[in-house]
Amino acid sequence: MAMIDEPLYPIAVLIDELKNEDIQLRLNSIRRLSTIARALGDERTRKELIPFLSENNDDDDEVLLAMAEELGVFIPYVGGVEFANVLLPPLETLCTVEETCVRDKAVESLCRIGAQMREQDLVEYFIPLVKRLAAGEWFTARVSSCGLFHIAYPSAPETLKTELRTIYSQLCQDDMPMVRRSAATNLGKFAATVEAAYLKTDIMSIFEDLTQDDQDSVRLLAVEGCAALGKLLEPQDCVAHILPVIVNFSQDKSWRVRYMVANQLYELCEAVGPEPTRSDLVPAYVRLLRDNEAEVRIAAAGKVTKFCRILSPELAIQHILPCVKELSTDSSQHVRSALASVIMGMAPVLGKDATIEQLLPIFLSLLKDEFPDVRLNIISKLDQVNQVIGIDLLSQSLLPAIVELAEDRHWRVRLAIIEYIPLLASQLGVGFFDDKLGALCMQWLKDKVYSIRDAAANNVKRLAEEFGPEWAMQHIIPQVLDMINNPHYLYRMTILHAISLLAPVMGPEITCSKLLPVVINASKDRVPNIKFNVAKVLQSLIPIVDQSVVEKSIRPCLVELSEDPDVDVRFFATQALQSSDQVMMST
Amino acid sequence: MNGGDEVVAAPVGPPQPLEWKFSQVFGERTAGEEVQEVDIISAIEFDKTGDHLATGDRGGRVVLFERTDTKDHGSSRRDLERTDYPIGRHPEFRYKTEFQSHEPEFDYLKSLEIEEKINKIRWCQTANGALFLLSTNDKTIKFWKVQEKKIKKISCMNLDPLKAVGNGSVASSSNSVCSKSYLANGGCPDKSSNDFSFPPGGIPSLRLPMVTTHETNLMARCRRVYAHAHDYHINSISNNSDGETFISADDLRINLWNLEISSQSFNIVDVKPANMEDLTEVITSAEFHPTHCNTLAYSSSKGSIRLIDLRQSALCDSHAKLFEEQEAPGSRSFFTEIIASISDIKFGQDGRYILSRDYMTLKLWDINMDSGPVSTFQVHEYLRPKLCDLYENDSIFDKFECCLSGDGLRVATGSYSNLFRVFGCAPGTTEATTLEASKNPMRRQVQTPSRPSRSLSSITRVVRRGAENPGVDANGNSFDFTTKLLHLAWHPTEHSIACAAANSLYMYYA
């Protein structure tokens, strides 16, 4: 065993642990591979470390994943770009392992290295690597190869380019669906590097094969290729080659393919341009909005606003709006919910008249939906509505919906609406709020569910921030403080919590005059939980109020609590006293 | 939905009945040896190439066997995929490895014990010489990778191994502490970060560990666990031809999974009624079509098989095709519904035919003909008078599996007394063999009396045959309901059957 100088001890351990039995230690060493490389110097890194890594690649996936990632940024440690090719062999092996995430990372690192390599090195080392992987015995190598063509192709000489295109088209016809899926996924990237002349011939024929694949999962990915290819082609070619495919896909037998079209249609429209969109894609979109599979309608409904934006208002009103009307009474709640989350965005597109005439009834019916998510989705987009139709019209129908949600029997629904209350308050203004919603906010403080009471306390604080201390003094504080006399200790605890949140917002004056006496009074509570919460609240009040107040009322109260028979009360009281000592010392 | 190859078009006359011979037995019982419950085999499955065989048992173990009579393990994957073995040799297997797939568990929320028994095994696509398979018990599916791992010996460490062991953990976690003060020849020690700084040429005294490989060892690693998706007992799992998804079926639901994602699955069939009191039918078995990624079949306790098209809808509650046989009027009895329940379905390799097993019969269905089965084979008609006894000792609920030969010309299924039956299903054949899972499979073979009149069968399209001579019972062979042959599998390319008799795995060839 070699003798190691004391100073090199840590780095020596790091190197030895590349092969430790404990995976955590191996992982730690691999993560610091750059340190090891610097300790060895570039030359030995190239000649020893990299071959060492290539040979020892049957490790656990976590270690391999880390290795794949580290090697991607390893060029500086092997002596710069002219030696980048030495990094290819270990990554090539990692491209063939069974675990997808390791392969993906290895491909990513290879792309990163390939992008920096010199042209002659790419031809000499990188392109042969791609060809080897593409001819790999196991499907894993062939899957990985698909993601490397876009790096290899640009620097290849003419004959090699032809060969690479041929190889890619073979990968698209591989007998393993996994390889075809990978080829379909990467087609867009590869196509972007191919010359326009071959794009129309070679790439389009590859693409057409993929669109007719008998595996649904391959066709799904070809849909994404439509948009990518469409952007590369001249508009007229796009209309001639891509448009028919999109229209076909929108009527595919498989709902999953149609779902992908519905999700991608907006990008596809951008690819083909406005005119064909109007003539061909609007009918396709209308079909998707009326699809008999709810999942497809959900995807289509979620895009309705985006789609309308690229159409003229007339077309939107004529073709899309009738479908939207149907969707608002769709049998699937998820479709209605998706529609509700975007429908308000249509208002600016349609203009005020059409909105009031056509959109408002839909909007109102969704606001009365039996499914709470639908109503919540509408309320969350209230700002957009407000801009178009004004608050008066809105408030008539809005209030009943809010009240109903506020009393929903599912506490998560109540929680969701509470979280919108500050937003509503800011949009609707003080006047509206005073009359209608104030009572609700107090009611939530007495909810049966803790999360709701907690959120309600927070809500009270945010309202006070929104409308200012003066308003809060009138409309919130008296009601909140009233509740400290509630017979149930859990509700009294909520009020204590609310006070601790309100105090910083209300400022020292109001805190001392109104809030503090209530807290001090609560220290006489018979329930220990209340008492130690009093201690906690008092601790939080110390930095807010004046030092004299601390001395006069807070400390005596805490001293009393610190002699309480209950151990928890004593604990928190002592803690609060200590923190008040610290505050005093620092001032 | 064309099944592709026309297996029905037999060239000249029906194929000759096969002569079955004993090949191998694993885990043979010695006379008087008591079978341990945990050793009873509960699943058998060949992989796609037929080079590997897996069995699962009630103790949650999976045992792998590999074929030994083909030497081309080194040949390329593409060759392996379409290997045609020379005729004249029969497949022979040897024990490869075994691993504990499932352990007994307890569901604390439902106060239920979850048995470790392996219900089904399915092979997945091999890659890089590693084998992949799915195994399931009642609740949890696991994805296994079995691979040769090199046993490494590490030498030439920088530090004395003994010393390194002692200090290793300390040193690795405290690099920063050591490096701060001691980096003498590194120039300026970097105090703020725990990074080292080194001379440009590196430090020559450091060296990498040497790794020498002595031997390899088979390792099974659980790669993924697909859990908490089934309220009822999982009865089937089946891989999709797309190589990325699979289904799992329980009594009331079928879920679709991606092999790489164990955190979510999609419910694609749900037969649970709103009110459980309205429940009349449960799912008993489900399988994907071998080549059409969007077609899947499932069978029910009422004796029907439904074919569904995944393209139609996300939740496939309405079937594309329904296969069921109208019961003959007047034949109804107390047992009719019980014995109609299908215990297993299998697609033929070309995907055109579905074989189903109910308590008394095997039925072969053409997926292009939903009016009735193409053929019906009586498995153990002599038990019909005894249904009452079988009901009383619960044997009537036994779940027998079935299998088809690779060429689709023959079908096989098990019965009691460790017997299993092989039927020819090409038109015109009367092949109906009874074999016993023992070293002498033909011992119980009873010459089936040749059919008195062939013309009868041409009247009905449904061929009924194989009704066994009722004299068997009278011959003094008392039928043993405890030794039942539930699980068997046909080699995908050759005439070779693997079947389980309690804890023993018997293999036969023809």
Side-chain angles (χ1 to χ4, degrees):
Chain A
M1 297 299 130
M3 289 304 291
I4 291 295
D5 301 337
E6 192 78 332
L8 291 176
Y9 188 74
I11 186 76
V13 169
L14 205 57
I15 292 176
D16 286 354
E17 281 175 357
L18 281 172
K19 283 287 135 199
N20 197 290
E21 272 170 36
D22 183 345
I23 178 172
Q24 276 313 318
L25 297 182
R26 290 203 303 278
L27 208 49
N28 176 52
S29 283
I30 288 284
R31 288 247 165 262
R32 310 201 48 197
L33 212 52
S34 55
T35 310
I36 295 177
R38 283 191 296 132
L40 293 173
D42 335 329
E43 200 185 336
R44 291 186 66 205
T45 297
R46 289 196 300 274
K47 291 196 176 139
E48 293 176 35
L49 181 62
I50 300 296
F52 170 83
L53 294 175
S54 304
E55 281 161 26
N56 294 286
N57 53 19
D58 66 338
D59 211 324
D60 288 311
D61 294 323
E62 293 90 328
V63 178
L64 297 184
L65 180 67
M67 196 195 294
E69 190 169 5
E70 293 299 323
L71 289 176
V73 292
F74 227 59
I75 290 182
Y77 309 113
V78 292
V81 174
E82 60 264 43
F83 296 106
N85 58 288
V86 303
L87 294 170
L88 302 186
L91 285 169
E92 181 176 351
T93 330
L94 291 174
C95 277
T96 64
V97 303
E98 310 81 53
E99 186 58 42
T100 315
C101 64
V102 177
R103 286 204 308 268
D104 288 350
K105 190 54 85 182
V107 168
E108 193 187 312
S109 289
L110 274 177
C111 289
R112 191 179 281 199
I113 292 169
Q116 300 172 59
M117 278 170 80
R118 294 177 303 185
E119 192 151 309
Q120 79 258 28
D121 290 342
L122 279 168
V123 176
E124 195 175 337
Y125 301 104
F126 199 87
I127 294 173
L129 173 145
V130 174
K131 281 163 65 181
R132 275 196 304 277
L133 286 174
E137 182 183 339
W138 300 98
F139 74 88
T140 48
R142 305 202 295 277
V143 165
S144 296
S145 72
C146 298
L148 298 169
F149 277 74
H150 68 285
I151 301 290
Y153 190 81
S155 39
E158 209 48 49
T159 51
L160 260 179
K161 279 189 172 172
T162 315
E163 197 186 341
L164 287 175
R165 289 196 304 273
T166 314
I167 295 173
Y168 204 88
S169 99
Q170 280 160 4
L171 289 168
C172 290
Q173 290 162 33
D174 198 280
D175 45 0
M176 288 285 169
M178 299 82 156
V179 180
R180 301 204 301 275
R181 276 197 292 272
S182 178
T185 312
N186 288 295
L187 184 63
K189 268 191 279 180
F190 178 48
T193 62
V194 173
E195 299 79 357
Y198 299 118
L199 197 60
K200 272 201 268 183
T201 52
D202 293 18
I203 299 294
M204 283 315 292
S205 87
I206 291 176
F207 175 66
E208 265 155 39
D209 286 345
L210 289 173
T211 60
Q212 281 153 29
D213 201 285
D214 55 357
Q215 285 286 347
D216 292 350
S217 52
V218 178
R219 288 206 310 282
L220 282 182
L221 295 167
V223 175
E224 286 183 62
C226 282
L229 281 179
K231 283 174 186 157
L232 300 172
L233 289 169
E234 301 282 321
Q236 70 271 21
D237 291 328
C238 188
V239 171
H241 298 292
I242 304 286
L243 194 61
V245 176
I246 298 172
V247 172
N248 252 336
F249 272 150
S250 75
Q251 300 170 69
D252 197 279
K253 261 189 179 173
S254 167
W255 71 266
R256 284 167 68 197
V257 174
R258 299 197 304 271
Y259 173 87
M260 284 299 272
V261 176
N263 251 334
Q264 300 269 320
L265 198 66
Y266 177 70
E267 281 75 23
L268 299 173
C269 290
E270 282 187 327
V272 297
E275 197 44 52
T277 296
R278 250 165 254 153
S279 58
D280 294 283
L281 292 185
V282 168
Y285 185 61
V286 167
R287 267 197 305 275
L288 293 171
L289 285 170
R290 292 183 170 145
D291 200 281
N292 55 20
E293 172 55 46
E295 298 287 339
V296 178
R297 294 200 304 276
I298 292 172
K303 304 282 175 185
V304 77
T305 298
K306 258 186 148 183
F307 197 82
C308 281
R309 271 193 208 127
I310 53 172
L311 295 179
S312 64
E314 296 78 48
L315 274 177
I317 291 168
Q318 194 189 338
H319 297 287
I320 308 295
L321 208 55
C323 298
V324 170
K325 250 180 224 165
E326 287 168 31
L327 290 176
S328 70
T329 56
D330 196 281
S331 56
S332 160
Q333 58 195 34
H334 303 290
V335 174
R336 301 198 303 274
S337 181
L339 181 70
S341 66
V342 297
I343 186 174
M344 291 332 297
M346 282 180 77
V349 181
L350 300 180
K352 186 160 181 174
D353 288 347
T355 299
I356 291 177
E357 208 173 295
Q358 315 256 13
L359 208 54
L360 193 63
I362 299 173
F363 163 72
L364 292 179
S365 89
L366 288 172
L367 204 49
K368 294 189 193 95
D369 201 282
E370 55 178 354
F371 187 59
D373 270 12
V374 179
R375 284 174 273 159
L376 279 172
N377 280 348
I378 287 283
I379 289 175
S380 67
K381 296 287 159 57
L382 214 60
D383 45 342
Q384 291 166 328
V385 197
N386 204 357
Q387 285 160 16
V388 184
I389 56 173
I391 199 68
D392 292 343
L393 206 49
L394 190 63
S395 57
Q396 295 162 12
S397 27
L398 189 62
L399 196 70
I402 294 174
V403 171
E404 211 173 301
L405 286 168
E407 289 162 351
D408 196 280
R409 65 194 176 84
H410 297 291
W411 67 268
R412 287 174 201 281
V413 175
R414 299 202 295 275
L415 186 61
I417 188 75
I418 292 177
E419 277 159 7
Y420 286 123
I421 289 293
L423 176 80
L424 281 172
S426 69
Q427 284 174 1
L428 303 180
V430 175
F432 180 74
F433 191 85
D434 287 350
D435 309 341
K436 320 277 162 57
L437 297 180
L440 276 179
C441 293
M442 294 306 133
Q443 184 186 320
W444 283 319
L445 283 170
K446 289 187 276 188
D447 200 278
K448 287 197 297 286
V449 177
Y450 170 76
S451 296
I452 299 296
R453 295 197 301 273
D454 190 51
N458 231 334
N459 175 47
V460 166
K461 180 196 82 169
R462 286 171 67 186
L463 287 175
E465 284 171 345
E466 180 68 40
F467 295 141
E470 218 163 293
W471 176 87
M473 266 314 290
Q474 270 190 346
H475 296 93
I476 297 184
I477 303 291
Q479 287 92 325
V480 171
L481 296 186
D482 254 2
M483 278 188 262
I484 197 73
N485 298 320
N486 193 297
H488 201 304
Y489 85 98
L490 285 174
Y491 298 139
R492 298 200 296 277
M493 231 148 75
T494 308
I495 300 308
L496 281 178
H497 179 53
I499 289 174
S500 74
L501 291 171
L502 279 169
V505 184
M506 302 306 287
E509 205 168 306
I510 296 176
T511 303
C512 292
S513 62
K514 296 282 175 194
L515 306 182
L516 189 58
V518 176
V519 181
I520 300 282
N521 216 17
S523 71
K524 310 273 191 308
D525 206 286
R526 63 195 158 80
V527 180
N529 295 43
I530 296 292
K531 288 195 277 189
F532 73 66
N533 272 293
V534 166
K536 286 196 218 170
V537 174
L538 288 176
Q539 183 177 350
S540 75
L541 295 184
I542 291 170
I544 299 168
V545 298
D546 196 71
Q547 193 57 48
S548 62
V549 181
V550 175
E551 286 303 322
K552 211 172 77 202
S553 26
I554 294 185
R555 283 189 69 94
C557 178
L558 285 174
V559 169
E560 197 177 315
L561 288 175
S562 69
E563 286 152 14
D564 197 88
D566 188 276
V567 59
D568 293 319
V569 176
R570 287 201 303 275
F571 172 79
F572 285 108
T574 318
Q575 214 175 39
L577 279 172
Q578 278 165 359
S579 94
S580 92
D581 289 341
Q582 276 165 6
V583 172
M584 274 204 295
M585 301 240 275
S586 62
T587 50
Chain B
M1 308 242 183
N2 249 318
D5 299 347
E6 288 289 304
V7 288
V8 207
V12 198
Q16 286 300 305
L18 296 172
E19 281 267 324
W20 289 94
K21 296 178 200 72
F22 170 77
S23 163
Q24 281 173 292
V25 58
F26 295 96
E28 194 188 12
R29 240 183 310 162
T30 50
E33 185 192 335
E34 208 174 305
V35 182
Q36 295 294 312
E37 169 83 10
V38 289
D39 292 333
I40 294 176
I41 294 173
S42 55
I44 300 183
E45 189 76 12
F46 280 105
D47 74 346
K48 209 167 73 182
T49 59
D51 285 343
H52 294 94
L53 173 68
T55 64
D57 65 25
R58 294 199 180 190
R61 283 162 302 190
V62 170
V63 183
L64 303 186
F65 300 89
E66 68 183 346
R67 193 170 170 175
T68 54
D69 58 311
T70 48
K71 281 279 181 273
D72 44 288
H73 286 294
S75 71
S76 79
R77 180 198 66 86
R78 281 165 201 262
D79 288 344
L80 282 173
E81 273 170 8
R82 46 177 92 105
T83 317
D84 225 350
Y85 295 109
I87 311 158
R89 299 161 76 191
H90 64 270
E92 278 188 19
F93 286 80
R94 71 163 169 236
Y95 170 87
K96 187 176 170 84
T97 185
E98 70 176 80
F99 56 91
Q100 187 74 37
S101 168
H102 287 73
E103 303 270 0
E105 280 177 87
F106 191 79
D107 182 340
Y108 293 97
L109 282 178
K110 295 182 182 150
S111 287
L112 279 180
E113 268 189 67
I114 304 168
E115 280 184 75
E116 67 272 35
K117 177 186 156 218
I118 305 291
N119 287 348
K120 281 275 152 53
I121 296 174
R122 285 289 179 270
W123 291 88
C124 304
Q125 190 61 53
T126 52
N128 292 348
L131 301 171
F132 292 88
L133 43 85
L134 288 166
S135 62
T136 184
N137 66 356
D138 284 340
K139 295 285 180 187
T140 309
I141 307 151
K142 293 185 180 177
F143 184 51
W144 291 91
K145 171 183 172 184
V146 182
Q147 190 184 29
E148 297 217 319
K149 275 265 180 196
K150 291 178 198 150
I151 302 175
K152 287 176 221 139
K153 193 165 162 38
I154 292 138
S155 54
C156 211
M157 307 284 273
N158 287 304
L159 303 164
D160 189 314
L162 290 172
K163 199 175 141 203
V165 170
N167 293 335
S169 57
V170 182
S172 66
S173 57
S174 60
N175 284 327
S176 52
V177 180
C178 302
S179 64
K180 265 184 197 167
S181 44
Y182 290 126
L183 273 173
N185 55 356
C188 47
D190 193 349
K191 283 210 167 71
S192 57
S193 78
N194 61 355
D195 230 340
F196 305 91
S197 47
F198 301 106
I203 303 154
S205 61
L206 289 171
R207 53 168 112 171
L208 290 164
M210 293 264 287
V211 179
T212 44
T213 310
H214 292 280
E215 53 196 298
T216 57
N217 188 12
L218 271 175
M219 283 260 296
R221 279 192 68 187
C222 181
R223 303 313 310 275
R224 268 175 264 281
V225 178
Y226 313 88
H228 312 303
H230 285 278
D231 286 336
Y232 305 90
H233 288 183
I234 299 174
N235 53 47
S236 319
I237 45 177
S238 174
N239 294 89
N240 192 306
S241 56
D242 66 9
E244 81 175 339
T245 54
F246 72 94
I247 50 161
S248 57
D250 68 22
D251 295 343
L252 296 178
R253 297 193 180 97
I254 302 178
N255 292 334
L256 179 70
W257 301 84
N258 187 312
L259 272 169
E260 308 220 323
I261 301 165
S262 57
S263 56
Q264 64 171 350
S265 67
F266 296 93
N267 181 230
I268 49 172
V269 175
D270 187 350
V271 300
K272 189 178 177 184
N275 183 354
M276 280 299 266
E277 279 166 19
D278 301 334
L279 184 69
T280 57
E281 190 173 18
V282 297
I283 299 167
T284 54
S285 171
E287 194 173 53
F288 263 121
H289 190 280
T291 52
H292 297 207
C293 62
N294 40 50
T295 307
L296 105 90
Y298 69 90
S299 61
S300 83
S301 56
K302 274 193 165 170
S304 50
I305 300 169
R306 289 178 175 82
L307 206 61
I308 60 172
D309 184 347
L310 296 178
R311 290 174 300 186
Q312 263 174 5
S313 159
L315 191 62
C316 299
D317 284 345
S318 58
H319 52 265
K321 275 186 183 173
L322 174 67
F323 303 91
E324 58 188 353
E325 192 166 33
Q326 300 304 320
E327 64 184 78
S331 66
R332 220 186 140 67
S333 76
F334 173 73
F335 303 110
T336 310
E337 274 197 19
I338 301 173
I339 62 171
S341 175
I342 294 177
S343 52
D344 191 24
I345 54 167
K346 291 272 162 63
F347 270 102
Q349 268 181 22
D350 64 358
R352 174 151 175 204
Y353 294 95
I354 298 174
L355 180 68
S356 72
R357 168 72 204 256
D358 55 42
Y359 193 62
M360 297 301 287
T361 67
L362 265 183
K363 293 193 175 89
L364 190 68
W365 308 79
D366 182 337
I367 62 168
N368 299 323
M369 184 177 98
D370 50 10
S371 55
V374 188
S375 319
T376 302
F377 309 97
Q378 318 287 357
V379 178
H380 37 215
E381 202 55 22
Y382 55 87
L383 291 178
R384 205 172 277 277
K386 296 198 180 131
L387 285 175
C388 201
D389 299 339
L390 292 162
Y391 178 75
E392 272 167 16
N393 63 19
D394 275 353
S395 295
I396 204 165
F397 301 108
D398 284 337
K399 291 184 172 298
F400 290 98
E401 288 179 1
C402 58
C403 58
L404 292 104
S405 62
D407 56 14
L409 295 176
R410 288 178 184 84
V411 295
T413 192
S415 176
Y416 293 100
S417 311
N418 279 345
L419 295 180
F420 67 99
R421 307 211 62 198
V422 179
F423 300 98
C425 52
T429 171
T430 54
E431 183 179 349
T433 317
T434 305
L435 298 135
E436 187 190 36
S438 70
K439 283 188 170 169
N440 181 8
M442 304 302 252
R443 185 159 68 98
R444 296 272 184 99
Q445 176 68 353
V446 180
Q447 221 46 45
T448 315
S450 58
R451 192 174 299 279
S453 153
R454 186 69 60 80
S455 61
L456 264 178
S457 66
S458 59
I459 297 170
T460 59
R461 198 167 23 169
V462 176
V463 195
R464 287 180 182 269
R465 64 162 170 275
E468 205 159 350
N469 188 345
V472 172
D473 198 14
N475 279 348
N477 294 328
S478 58
F479 281 90
D480 182 357
F481 300 126
T482 56
T483 56
K484 47 202 170 196
L485 197 151
L486 299 176
H487 309 284
L488 77 178
W490 200 303
H491 191 279
T493 54
E494 308 224 11
H495 287 314
S496 168
I497 291 180
C499 58
N503 62 339
S504 314
L505 177 70
Y506 284 93
M507 311 210 42
Y508 301 95
Y509 71 99

